[in-house]
Amino acid sequence: MNKFIIILFVFLVTGCAEQRIIDDLALINAVGYDLTDNEKNPLKLTVTFPIITKDGKYDRKTIMVEGKTSKEAREKVRFKTNYKLESGQVRVALFGKRLAKEGLLPNLHSLVRDPSIGTRLKLALAEDEASDVLLLQIKNEGQNATYLEQFLTKINRENFRTNYNIYQFLRDYYDDGIDPILPVFKVEKNNIAYNGIGLFHEDKLVEILKPSEASYLFLFREEMKQGVFLEQIDVGKEEQASIMLNYELKNHHIEIPSTPSKSKKASIYIELIGDVVEYTGKDDVSDPKIQRKIEAIITKKINQEGKKLIMKLQKLQVDPLGINRYVRNKMNYNEWKALDQYKSYQDMNINIETKVIINSSGKWK
Amino acid sequence: MQMKEKLSPFQTAILVYLTQSGVTLFSLPRLVAEAFGTNGWIGLIIISFIVNINMILIWLVYKMSKGKSMFEIIAIFPKWITFSFCVFIAVVWMLLGIMVILKFSMIIKVLFYQNVSLIYLLSMSYILTYLLLKKDIYQIAKATVVLFYFTVWTVFLLAFHLPEFSFIRLTPFIFKGDTDMLKGGLSIFTALLGYELSILYVHKIDRKPLRSLLVGNSITSVIYLGVTFVSYGFFSFEQLLREMYPVVTLLGYISFPVLERVENFTFSVFGLKVLMTIVMYLWGTKELIQYQFKRIKTNFIVMGILIIGFSVSFVPKVIKDVDQWLTYITYAATAIAILLPIFLLLTILTSKILNRKAANE
Amino acid sequence: MRKDRNRLLKDFKLQKEQIFEKPNFAGESILQKFISDFKISSDLSVTEFPHFTVKIYYFSYLINKDHYEQFLASIRNITAEELQSFLNHSEFKVLTEMDSVEEAILSGSAILFTENQAYDLPFKEGKGRSISPSETETVILGAHEAFVESVDMNLSLIRKRVMSSQLKTIKLLVGNKAKRNVYLLYLEGVASEKDVEEIKNRILSIHNDAIVDTNMLVQYIDEHPNSPFPQFYTTERPDVTAYKLFEGKVVGLMENSPFAFCTPVSFFDFMESMDDFGQRWIVGTFIKVTRYIAILVTLLFTALYVAVSTYHYEMIPQALLPTLLESRSKVPFPPVIEALFLEFLLELLREAGARLPTKVGQTIGIVGGIVIGQAAVQAGITSNILIIVVAASAIASFVVPSYLLSASIRIVRFGFIIISGFWGNLGIIFGMGILIIHLSTLTNLNSPYLLPISPMYPKFFKYTMIRGPFKKKTERG
C-alpha cells in the first residue's frame, strides 16, 4: 500500500504548477484607462511595470495601447514586452475623466473578476488623461505607481478618508444609501499632484470638488478621526486672520428625525477639539475669551461653508456622506424600496450643527 | 488495548467541528444573503438550533440503546434490509465526500492554479485522505486535534476586517430582499452537515457525549456566524450578493507588513479543514461497507472507495455540474441526517416493546 | 552448511591442541569449560601457586593491580589447608554457572578456581574518562556534569540525584554472544509498571550484537523505524535524567555509552532544555515559545521564499518588491534550485564543521561564510535575500535543544523546499498535512507523540508547551 502512495507521490512531483518566477515577469503595478476618439478602439490602456536594467538598476517601462475592451487591450500589451505579463501586483488603477463620466463599472467588473488582482487595488481619477499621469517621467522619483500608491495612502492617513480601493468603491457603489468618491490627480509642472475629489452618482463622475471644498466634505464624513482645519476667518471689522487647527473629531453623528412627513430633515452633528497651530491675528489666542470668540467664528464658518457644500451635493444628486443610509435605517423595508432616494435627498433639509472647542494654543502663549 | 480507547469529549467536539466546516464556508455569507436577505446571520442561529435538536436525537439513540452502536441496533432487521440501507447511506456519504474534494479542488484551480490539471490537485487530497483513512477513528481524531490547532488561527484573521466594519451597513431590515427561505435555508443547513456522522462514533465517546457534540456544533456555528456577521458589516448587501466567494475576498483583504494577499496560503490551510470533512464522510462509508463485508480487509475497502471516488471525480466537468450534484447529494444527506436517528429511535422503541411483551408472555 | 561443518572441525582440532595444560582436579568441569571458552585469548593472564592447586584467571587491564597484589600477598602466606576456610569465610562469591564466570571475568573480576569451585574476586578497575561537562547539551544555568562511558559512574550520578529507595534498577543483558549490560531505572509508584514491563520485553527481544551505543539501542526498540523523527529521548545529562525519572519515565543506561534514554516521551520533551527551569517562568516560557517559532522558521522559511518567488509574486509587498527583484535579476536558476544548492552547501559546512577537529573547524566557518556569503552573490549564483533566508533558517534549526530532533527537522525541511518548488503554497500546506498526520500517529511506548496536544490534556500544557510557574506542591504528569 505504501508503494501506491510513493507512486502517486512521484506522479505528483512530475506535475508542477505554472511557474511564475518573479524575475521573468512584467509585474504591472499601475494601469490607466482612458477613452479615445477612435471609433474602433475606444479604450486606451496604459500599463507600467518595473524592470531591472542590464546594469542592475531598478527602472520602469510604460506601454500604451488602444483596444475595444480592457482585456483585449491587455492582450495587445502582451505583444509588446519580452516578459510574461502578470497583473497580481497592480497597485493603482487610474481612470481618465472622460471615461469616468461614462461610468466605471464595466472596467471595475473586469478588475474584480480577475482572481489575481487584489481587493486592495487603489483607484484614482486623472484630471485629464490617465495615460498622461502614468507616462510622466519624474526625475529621480522612480515608479509612478509607487509614487501614486504612497500618495493615496498618505492622503488617506492624513485627513481625506476616501473610497480609494476597489473593494471600498464597490461597497459604496452597491450600498443604496451612499455614493462613492475618488481622489483626483493631475500633472502639473512635471509633477503629479492631488487636485480634489471626484463625486460619483452611481458609477458616473459628475463633479470634481476643489481641494478646499473637499476638506469640508471630509469634516462631515464619519470615518475621519482627525485632521487639519485651515481657513481665513473674519476676526474683527475688516480684519482677516488665517488660522490652522489640528483637530480631533470627538463626535460625529447624523440624525434623522423620524417624522412621517414627506419632506425629510437631517442634522449632522460634529464636535471638534483642536489645537491652534497657526494664528495670524493680533489677539492673544491663549486668552480663553479670545478662544471662545474664535470658536464661535469657526463654528459659523463651518456651518456656512458646509451648508453651501451640501446644497451643492444635493443639487448634483450625489450623497458621499451617506445620509440616505441613515434615512434608510429609520424606515421600514417597503417604505424604503418605494422611496425615490435621490429625489427625496434633493428635497431634504440638511442642517449642520458644529461644536468647536479649542484645547490649547500650542506651546507658545 | 485498542478496543478500550475512547474519544475524549474535546476530541469529539473538534471532530464534529472539522467535519462540519467544509467547502461551503467560502460562499456561506453569500448563500446566507441569498437565502435570508438582509441580516441573514440571524437565520444561521436558527439553523444551528435545528442542528442542535438533531444532535439531541442522535444522543437519544445512544442513551436509549444504552451505548450500543448503530450496527448493533439495526442487526435485528433481516440481512437484505440492512444491506440496502447501509449501501444507500454509504453511497450518499461517499459521493458527498468526493464532491466536496472536487469542489474544493475546482475552486482552488479557478482562483489560484488556473493552468494545473485537476488530476494533480485531486491526487494531493486523495493521498492525504488515504493516509488518514487507513487509520482508525482514534488516530483520525488525534490528527484532527492537531489540524484544528493548525487551522483555527485563521478565525482570528477576521480582526483585520474590523476597521472596515460598520453597523450602519447591517441595515435595520431583517430578512428582507429577495429571499428564498426554504431552498436557501436548506442549502445553509447543508453547510452544517457532518454532525450526522457522529451516530457512528457516539458510543465511542468517553464521557459527556451530548455536551461534546453540542460544543462541536457551537464552534462551527460561532465561526460561521462570525464570518457571516463580519461579511454583512464589511460588504454592502448588494455587493455581498455579487461576491462569488466572499470569504476568499475577506482573506484577500488581509495585508501584513511582510506578506500581503495571503489568501492563497490561508485558502490552502482551509484545505486541511475541508480534508477532515472528506475523511470523515469516507470513513463513514468505510465503516458501513466494512459492516456489510466483514471479510474484506479494511485496506482494500479504503482503496476501493478512493479509486471509485477518483474515477467518479471526472464525471462532472465544471463547477456548475459539481454544484448540481452537491445540491442533490446534500438533500439526500440532510434526509439521512434527520431521518436516521428517528428511524433508529423507533427501532429501539419497538424492539423494547417487543422484548417486554415477550418477557410478559 | 559446509562452511559450518568446516568450522566445527577446526574448532574440534583446536580443542585437541589445548594451549593450557589439562588440569587434574575435581573442579575440572567448570575450569575446563572456562578454558575451552577462552582458548584463543592471549591477553588472558593466569596466576598459579606452587603450594596449592589454585589458579586465578584475569584480564590484567580490567582489574585493579594494587588490589590484586594485596590479595596475592595475603593468600601467599596461608597454607593449602587454610585456603579452603579462608575462601569460605571471605566475602567472595561462589560462581557455579559458566555464564556468570564469563560475565564476571569480562566485567573486570579475577576468577579463582579451586579444585571444585570458582570464586569471583571483584577487583574491578574504575579507569575511564572522568566526568566532564556536556558537549551536546550545554546549559548556562544548571549542573554541568555529563554521563561518562562507565555505567557504574553513571548510576552513581543518578543515585546521587534521586536519593530514594523507590528508585529501582533492572539489569538486562542484550545481545546474543557479546552480552552487554543495560540498566532500566524507574521510580516505583511513579512510573507505570506496564511501561517497564514493555520496555524490558523489547530490549530482551533484541538479538543483535552490534549495538554499541544507547542511540543505536533505541532504534532497535522503537515502534516507527521509518520515521525521520527521534522517538526516544536520549540525553547525556544526569540532571535531565533525574528529572525524567521524577516525571514517571523509565530511563535506560547502557554500558560504555554516555547516553541515557527516557521513555515514554513526546515531541515536546525534545524541545526542553534544563535552562528553562533555571530561568524565571516568564523568561522560560518566552524561550520555549521562541523555539516553536524557530521550528516553524526552519521548516518553512526557505520553502516560503521558494513558493513566493516562484509562484505567488502577488504576496510580496510593494516595498519589498524592488529589493527582491534586484537580487533575483542576476540569478540564472529557478529559486528552488538556488535554494537547494545553498541549503545543501550549508549542510556540507555543518557536517564538515562537526567532523573536523575544533581548530580546523573554525577555518571552515570563515571559508564558508566568505565564499558562500560574498562570492556566490557577486558571481550571481544566489540572491542576497535567499542567503538571509537560508541563514535564518539554519540558525533557527540550531535553536532546537535536541541534536537528534534538529537533524530530523533539517531533513524534513528539504522535503518542504522541494514540494514548494513544485506546488508553491499548496505544496507547503500539503507537506504540512502529511507532517501533521505523521506526527500525530507516531507513538513512543504506546504513548502518543504529540501527547498534551493530541490527545488533548490542557492540564499538562504548562509543563510541556510552556514553562509554567512552579508550584509548592508537587504534581506528577
Side-chain angles (χ1 to χ4, degrees), chain C residues 245-277:
Chain C
L245 278 171
F246 286 124
E247 275 188 336
K249 281 165 188 165
V250 184
V251 164
L253 285 171
M254 193 173 178
E255 211 170 312
N256 297 329
S257 169
F259 282 92
F261 70 82
C262 312
T263 184
V265 291
S266 77
F267 178 80
F268 302 100
D269 286 272
F270 291 90
M271 300 295 286
E272 236 169 39
S273 159
M274 241 7 203
D275 265 347
D276 303 346
F277 299 98

Side-chain angles (χ1 to χ4, degrees), chain B residues 276-310:
Chain B
M276 284 318 298
T277 311
I278 302 154
V279 168
M280 283 314 289
Y281 270 106
L282 294 187
W283 173 80
T285 314
K286 187 193 92 181
E287 289 288 296
L288 288 169
I289 305 266
Q290 182 83 75
Y291 173 70
Q292 286 305 325
F293 305 99
K294 289 198 182 68
R295 262 176 294 163
I296 308 178
K297 266 210 227 147
T298 316
N299 233 333
F300 284 111
I301 295 178
V302 171
M303 291 301 291
I305 292 172
L306 291 183
I307 288 169
I308 293 172
F310 204 77

Side-chain angles (χ1 to χ4, degrees), chain C residues 8-33:
Chain C
L8 277 176
L9 272 173
K10 218 157 85 193
D11 280 3
F12 183 71
K13 245 188 239 161
L14 272 171
Q15 240 167 21
K16 290 257 163 182
E17 314 156 11
Q18 293 258 358
I19 50 165
F20 297 102
E21 59 182 290
K22 238 183 173 177
N24 54 354
F25 48 81
E28 198 170 273
S29 60
I30 193 157
L31 183 60
Q32 215 165 28
K33 201 152 181 294

Side-chain angles (χ1 to χ4, degrees), chain C residues 332-347:
Chain C
F333 315 118
V336 61
I337 304 286
E338 187 193 356
L340 283 177
F341 168 73
L342 210 58
E343 287 279 0
F344 185 66
L345 216 57
L346 204 86
E347 281 300 297

